[in-house]
């Protein structure tokens, strides 16, 4: 079991990131931290995706490089996914600014108290 | 016009850029450009749909890279219906948003982007491409929800964003698993390769689980539905109508694609657990969604919970997986979009006219606002499933499918869902038609709780002169009335035409199940 995990250390790290991201997303009451948790969560998935393309001893996917090649497709896909992630973060932070302007706090509990008083 | 499939995706995106660019020169051009784009979109999708209901789907290769390597757009009967639904509903809501909704140019640009994202999701034949369109849809939906005034909509949008991103990320992870297992992303190719890998392979099972759970979040199936009531209640009226009519619907369509085009019925047959999970999610969504809807006092929240239960019905059809049930699912998706969108628009109309946003405000509405009450009544009864409305036909087919598959508990729940739907709509109809309107003196008290009603209507950035008039006297334009009445009429007309539509869809459904 340990050997198997040591063999696939990348996967362990990727899923560790998923766990940390999920925990931050759910457990923290600060909305900025929630956004950070979302980012960590996504990064875990990106890592998983990219390592799936890795072949031991393979060369970069260039025509001039000798055969076995690393699969280039996941890299391209993750490039797209990273762009999506950046846009999501931008929108999220924009919303966080709006929330702060309206409620004067970033703490979820405090926001809930304020919005109930209204 | 062989490039039509690419055109219908590109058109709204180009229109969105055009709105922003034209807005730099003349600030008030947003609405005309958006309407022109939406009308062209309806025409283009209509032309595309005429060829899509045959035995063979229309295939379009993007950028000259052939199928398993490049991205493919596939238009069959089901995707054509979805694209047409998106185009028609977006045009209808636009007529409503002219006076009611946010009127700034960024709003229209985002609106068109959302149309593009939804159309793309409907007709793509590539799972990663579907993820990208899913995220475009999500991003623009978050932005639209936030276009209301006040902190409530921003907070709702933020919650929607965090939950929706987790859903989409799980979807992406599922794609990763499927890719690791097969090395392909094209849907048709995937289904062939997955069969080769074996349906009981843990990797394939995990891919299915992640893809389905990711889409559950987007469809708002029971345990992961919490974003939906907040988002719908926090958004401006036209936005909640638009999003409730389309976003979950297209996500449910994507679920049908993933389950039947990518994983096929053989996968469901080989994995009893997968089917059990689908059935359980469907039953819980139908029952709990309805029960939660009954407990709500705010109309828009109630309608949102109603969506949770109605999509449970679609999920039930997916779990049953026979021709009748899937035809029912397709009809119910289209019908639900019209009915729920219409209900949200009507609730917005009522709120603009009378300020009533909670159930108490609907007392004696039939006298004060006959058109609004009539439309709401018709749409509510259509949703309950009173023939000949479209809500009846969809439910009937799904229930018939469940009976034919001998899934008795599921059939029972589907029939019970009609009663549950009646439970939350009947009380409003009763209030509208059989109660006295509150005395003007008494209504001051209730108006106090609904002070945000008028502010939600005025969510405008660019119209300098309109703000004062809107704040002093709520205005209901002809466009708003026409849209609401149109939705009610459409719910009936579609119900009459639904059987023919079901027959039209038959080759597509057969191909999905083969």
């Amino acid at each position: 079991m340990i050997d198997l995990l040591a063999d696939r250390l990348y996967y362990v790290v990727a899923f560790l990131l998923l766990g940390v991201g999920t925990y931050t997303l759910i457990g923290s009451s600060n909305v900025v931290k929630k956004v950070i948790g979302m980012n960590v969560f996504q990064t875990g998935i990106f890592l998983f995706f990219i390592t799936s393309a890795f072949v031991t001893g393979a060369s970069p996917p260039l025509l001039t490089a000798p055969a076995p090649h690393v699969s280039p497709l996941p890299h391209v896909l993750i490039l797209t996914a990273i762009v999506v992630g950046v846009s999501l973060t931008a929108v999220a932070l924009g919303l966080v600014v709006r929330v702060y302007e309206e409620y004067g706090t970033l703490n979820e509990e405090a926001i809930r108290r304020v919005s109930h008083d209204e | 016009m062989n490039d039509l499939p690419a055109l219908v995706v590109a058109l709204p995106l180009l229109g969105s850029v055009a709105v922003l660019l034209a807005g730099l020169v003349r600030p008030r051009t947003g609405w005309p450009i958006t309407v022109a784009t939406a009308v062209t979109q309806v025409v283009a999708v209509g032309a595309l749909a005429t060829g899509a209901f045959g035995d063979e789907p229309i295939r379009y290769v993007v950028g000259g890279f052939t199928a398993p390597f490049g991205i493919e757009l596939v238009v069959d009967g089901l995707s054509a219906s979805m694209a047409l639904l998106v185009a028609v509903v977006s045009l209808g809501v636009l007529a409503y948003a002219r006076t009611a909704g946010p009127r700034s140019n960024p709003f229209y640009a985002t609106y068109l982007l959302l149309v593009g994202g939804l159309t793309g999701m409907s007709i793509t034949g590539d799972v990663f491409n579907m993820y990208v369109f899913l995220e475009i849809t999500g991003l623009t939906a978050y932005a639209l929800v936030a276009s209301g005034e006040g902190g409530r909509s921003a907070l709702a949008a933020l919650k929607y964003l965090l939950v929706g991103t987790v859903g989409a990320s799980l979807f992406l992870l599922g794609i990763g698993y499927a890719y690791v297992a097969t090395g392909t992303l094209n849907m048709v190719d995937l289904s062939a390769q997955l069969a080769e890998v074996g349906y009981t392979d843990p990797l394939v099972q995990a891919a299915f689980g992640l893809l389905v759970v990711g889409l559950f979040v987007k469809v708002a199936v029971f345990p992961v539905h919490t974003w939906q009531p907040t988002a719908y209640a926090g958004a401006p009226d036209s936005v909640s109508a638009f999003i409730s009519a389309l976003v979950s619907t297209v996500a449910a369509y994507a679920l049908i694609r993933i389950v039947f085009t990518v994983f096929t019925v053989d996968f469901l047959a080989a994995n009893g657990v997968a089917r059990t999970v689908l059935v359980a999610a469907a039953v819980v969504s139908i029952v709990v969604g309805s029960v939660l809807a009954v407990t709500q006092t705010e109309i828009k929240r109630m309608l949102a919970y109603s969506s949770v239960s109605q999509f449970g019905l679609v999920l039930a059809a997916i779990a049953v997986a026979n021709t009748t049930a899937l035809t029912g699912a397709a009809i119910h998706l289209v019908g639900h979009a019209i009915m729920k969108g219409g209900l949200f628009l009507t609730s917005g109309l009522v709120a603009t006219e009378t300020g009533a946003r909670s159930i108490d405000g609907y007392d004696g509405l039939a006298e004060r606002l006959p058109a609004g009450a009539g439309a709401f009544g018709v749409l509510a009864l259509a949703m309950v499933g009173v023939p000949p409305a479209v809500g009846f036909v969809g439910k009937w087919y799904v229930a018939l499918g469940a009976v034919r598959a001998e899934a008795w508990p599921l059939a029972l729940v589907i029939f019970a869902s009609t009663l549950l739907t009646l439970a939350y709509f009947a009380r409003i109809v009763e209030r509208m038609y059989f109660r006295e309107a509150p005395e003007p003196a008494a209504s001051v008290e209730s108006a106090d709780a609904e002070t945000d009603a008028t502010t939600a209507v005025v969510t405008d950035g660019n119209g300098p002169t309109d703000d004062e008039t809107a704040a002093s006297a709520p205005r209901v334009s002809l466009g708003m009335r026409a849209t609401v009445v149109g939705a009610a009429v459409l719910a009936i007309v579609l119900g009459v035409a639904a059987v023919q539509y079901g027959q039209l869809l038959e080759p597509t459904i057969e191909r999905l199940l083969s």
Side-chain angles (χ1 to χ4, degrees):
Chain A
M1 185 65 192
I2 299 291
D3 288 349
L4 193 74
L5 287 182
D7 234 20
R8 293 168 172 74
L9 196 59
Y10 304 116
Y11 290 161
V12 175
V13 172
F15 281 91
L16 210 62
L17 281 177
L18 282 183
V20 170
T22 317
Y23 178 76
T24 319
L25 205 52
I26 297 170
S28 124
S29 61
N30 184 312
V31 282
V32 173
K33 285 186 185 163
K34 275 178 185 291
V35 175
I36 293 173
M38 181 188 89
N39 269 318
V40 173
F41 182 79
Q42 284 188 316
T43 310
I45 291 173
F46 297 164
L47 267 184
F48 167 80
F49 229 111
I50 289 177
T51 49
S52 77
F54 183 72
V55 179
T56 317
S59 53
L62 300 170
L63 279 180
T64 48
H69 291 132
V70 169
S71 167
L73 191 60
H75 297 80
V76 181
L77 299 182
I78 289 311
L79 213 53
T80 315
I82 286 172
V83 173
V84 171
V86 169
S87 338
L88 273 169
T89 313
V91 173
L93 291 177
L95 291 174
V96 167
V97 171
R98 280 263 320 265
V99 167
Y100 186 75
E101 281 172 356
E102 293 286 341
Y103 294 105
T105 173
L106 289 174
N107 188 297
E108 221 185 18
E109 299 298 319
I111 291 171
R112 201 169 293 146
R113 268 200 303 280
V114 173
S115 55
H116 274 297
D117 288 344
E118 273 177 356
Chain B
M1 291 300 276
N2 291 330
D3 290 337
L4 259 184
L7 187 71
V8 296
V9 179
L11 194 69
L13 304 184
L14 294 176
S16 145
V17 177
V19 166
L20 285 181
L21 289 182
L24 294 177
V25 188
R26 303 189 67 149
R28 311 207 69 160
T29 46
W31 195 75
I33 294 177
T34 314
V35 167
T37 316
V39 169
T40 325
Q41 176 79 354
V42 171
V43 172
V45 175
L48 184 63
T50 51
F53 284 95
D55 289 326
E56 273 303 307
I58 300 168
R59 290 179 186 282
Y60 178 81
V61 171
V62 179
F65 296 96
T66 44
F69 308 111
I71 291 169
E72 195 182 27
L73 300 178
V74 183
V75 190
D76 63 3
L78 198 55
S79 34
S81 324
M82 285 301 133
L84 197 58
L85 181 75
V86 170
V88 169
V89 171
S90 66
L91 187 60
V93 173
L94 216 48
Y96 185 92
R98 174 83 180 100
T99 42
R103 289 190 294 272
S104 59
N105 283 340
F107 169 77
Y108 290 125
T110 319
Y111 189 92
L112 282 176
L113 269 183
L114 180 53
V115 172
L118 290 167
T119 314
M121 258 180 94
S122 306
I123 68 173
T124 184
D126 182 284
V127 278
F128 189 79
N129 201 228
M130 183 175 257
Y131 164 75
V132 173
F133 279 120
L134 189 76
E135 285 286 34
I136 293 178
T137 307
L139 267 172
T140 46
Y142 312 144
L144 284 183
V145 168
S147 66
E149 266 195 359
R152 194 186 177 194
S153 61
L155 203 59
L158 190 62
K159 185 177 179 187
Y160 185 10
L161 186 145
L162 292 172
V163 178
T165 304
V166 171
S169 299
L170 290 178
F171 187 77
L172 179 63
L173 194 58
I175 294 172
Y177 272 72
Y179 180 75
V180 170
T182 62
T184 182
L185 292 166
N186 182 280
M187 286 183 189
V188 179
D189 198 30
L190 253 179
S191 78
Q193 302 268 351
L194 283 172
E196 241 166 70
V197 174
Y199 289 129
T200 46
D201 189 276
L203 212 50
V204 177
Q205 287 170 333
F208 179 85
L210 287 167
L211 286 170
V212 166
V213 169
L215 285 174
F216 272 9
V217 176
K218 292 283 180 181
V219 181
V221 173
F222 169 64
V224 282
H225 70 286
T226 48
W227 60 267
Q228 198 178 44
T230 325
Y232 289 2
D237 293 325
S238 35
V239 171
S240 44
F242 188 51
I243 291 181
S244 71
L246 297 177
V247 172
S248 290
T249 308
V250 176
Y253 158 83
L255 191 62
I256 294 179
R257 270 279 155 237
I258 293 292
V259 172
F260 293 108
T261 305
V262 175
F263 284 90
T264 69
V265 263
D266 295 336
F267 177 86
L268 286 184
N271 292 282
V273 184
R275 180 169 270 175
T276 313
V277 167
L278 285 176
V279 170
V283 169
V284 174
S285 284
I286 291 174
V287 175
V288 181
S290 304
V291 171
L292 286 173
V294 173
T295 61
Q296 301 303 316
T297 51
E298 191 181 340
I299 293 284
K300 282 170 84 174
R301 286 188 82 86
M302 188 204 82
L303 291 176
Y305 280 112
S306 154
S307 283
V308 174
S309 107
Q310 298 298 322
F311 279 108
L313 212 61
V314 175
L315 213 57
I318 295 175
V320 168
N322 60 19
T323 319
T324 322
L326 273 186
T327 311
I331 294 173
H332 199 62
L333 279 181
V334 175
H336 177 266
I338 303 291
M339 292 184 290
K340 189 53 62 67
L343 280 169
F344 268 109
L345 291 181
T346 316
S347 77
L349 184 92
V350 171
T352 316
E353 192 92 322
T354 67
R357 286 200 174 265
S358 67
I359 288 177
D360 298 335
Y362 278 60
D363 282 358
L365 192 70
E367 286 169 34
R368 289 180 285 160
L369 191 64
F376 198 95
V378 167
L379 287 165
L381 290 178
M383 194 67 110
V384 172
V386 176
V390 66
F392 166 74
V393 190
K395 271 186 199 179
W396 175 251
Y397 271 106
V398 176
L400 201 63
V403 169
R404 285 202 179 143
E406 299 187 350
W408 300 115
L410 203 54
L412 207 66
V413 171
I414 293 166
F415 283 119
S417 85
T418 303
L419 287 177
L420 289 168
T421 316
L422 192 65
Y424 52 82
F425 277 129
R427 53 184 185 149
I428 298 180
V429 174
E430 189 258 344
R431 273 174 188 276
M432 287 193 305
Y433 283 95
F434 301 108
R435 286 205 193 179
E436 293 293 310
E439 296 295 312
S443 73
V444 175
E445 198 180 3
S446 66
D448 192 38
E450 290 144 7
T451 36
D452 64 331
T454 40
T455 54
V457 177
V458 194
T459 42
D460 174 27
N462 279 8
T465 55
D466 294 335
D467 284 13
E468 301 152 37
T469 45
S472 57
R475 300 156 308 144
V476 174
S477 71
L478 186 69
M480 286 167 76
R481 277 182 218 275
T483 321
V484 165
V485 174
V489 171
L490 203 58
I492 304 294
V493 172
L494 274 179
V496 176
V499 177
Q500 280 84 351
Y501 171 67
Q503 283 164 355
L504 207 60
L505 216 52
E506 209 166 296
T508 308
I509 304 280
E510 292 289 342
R511 208 167 39 243
L512 268 184
L513 287 172
S514 64

